[in-house]
C-alpha cells in the first residue's frame, strides 16, 4: 500500500505503487509540468537530510498537470523488518540539476513525512 494522506505518504515496507504529484502556482492555479521537465522524489532520514534513503527521478514526455512517480518494492524495502512505523522525510524537486527548486518539502508547516509501515515476514 502506498497512500497519500494530506502531506503524509504512508507505505507498507516492500510494497510498490505510484506517487502522484500536483502543484499550484503562486496565484493558486494548477501548475503545468512541461515536456522535458525532470521531477525528483527524495526520501531522507528524519532529522538528517544529508542521509538519502532513496531517490526517484522521472522526465516528462509531454505537458501534464500531474506527474506519476513509480516506486518499486526494492525501493521501499528499507532496512530490516520493522515492528512499528518508521518516519522519514520527503521532498519533490523540479529540474534538480539546472535551476532546480523544491515544490514540496520542509516548509513553515514542518517536514513532509514518508511513513514506512511494517510488513509481514516473507518465506525466502
Amino acid at each position: 500500500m502506498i497512500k497519500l494522506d494530506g502531506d503524509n505518504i504512508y507505505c507498507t515496507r516492500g510494497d510498490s505503487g505510484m506517487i502522484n504529484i500536483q502543484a499550484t502556482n503562486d496565484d493558486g492555479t494548477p501548475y503545468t509540468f512541461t515536456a522535458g521537465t525532470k521531477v525528483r522524489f527524495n526520501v531522507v532520514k528524519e532529522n538528517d537530510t544529508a542521509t538519502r534513503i532513496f531517490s526517484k527521478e522521472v522526465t516528462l514526455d509531454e505537458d501534464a498537470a500531474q506527474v506519476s512517480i513509480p516506486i518499486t518494492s526494492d525501493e521501499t524495502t528499507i532496512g530490516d523488518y520493522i515492528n512499528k512505523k518508521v518516519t522519514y522525510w520527503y521532498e519533490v524537486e523540479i529540474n534538480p540539476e539546472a535551476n532546480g527548486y523544491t515544490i514540496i518539502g520542509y516548509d513553515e508547516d514542518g517536514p513532509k513525512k514518508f511513513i514506512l509501515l511494517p510488513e509481514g515476514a516473507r518465506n525466502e
Side-chain angles (χ1 to χ4, degrees):
M1 165 195 80
I2 294 180
K3 181 178 94 172
L4 182 64
D5 183 14
D7 288 332
N8 296 330
I9 297 172
Y10 291 86
C11 176
T12 301
R13 182 181 180 274
D15 281 5
S16 61
M18 294 291 238
I19 295 175
N20 297 313
I21 305 296
Q22 297 174 326
T24 55
N25 295 307
D26 290 337
D27 64 3
T29 59
Y31 178 83
T32 300
F33 298 90
T34 57
T37 298
K38 291 184 180 185
V39 179
R40 182 182 293 163
F41 176 78
N42 293 310
V43 174
V44 298
K45 206 169 177 185
E46 182 179 37
N47 293 312
D48 181 5
T49 57
T51 303
R52 185 178 294 171
I53 303 302
F54 75 89
S55 183
K56 190 68 174 254
E57 185 173 287
V58 297
T59 301
L60 280 76
D61 294 330
E62 57 187 31
D63 293 359
Q66 176 176 285
V67 177
S68 295
I69 300 176
I71 304 298
T72 68
S73 175
D74 285 344
E75 290 164 331
T76 67
T77 304
I78 301 167
D80 294 326
Y81 284 104
I82 54 177
N83 292 318
K84 61 182 180 176
K85 67 182 180 181
V86 177
T87 301
Y88 299 94
W89 294 350
Y90 75 91
E91 68 178 1
V92 178
E93 300 173 277
I94 295 177
N95 295 322
E97 278 87 30
N99 298 317
Y101 58 96
T102 302
I103 60 168
I104 300 172
Y106 202 112
D107 60 19
E108 62 275 356
D109 296 324
K112 305 306 175 241
K113 297 177 181 178
F114 183 89
I115 301 166
L116 194 65
L117 304 172
E119 70 171 324
R122 299 179 186 179
N123 292 329
E124 298 181 22

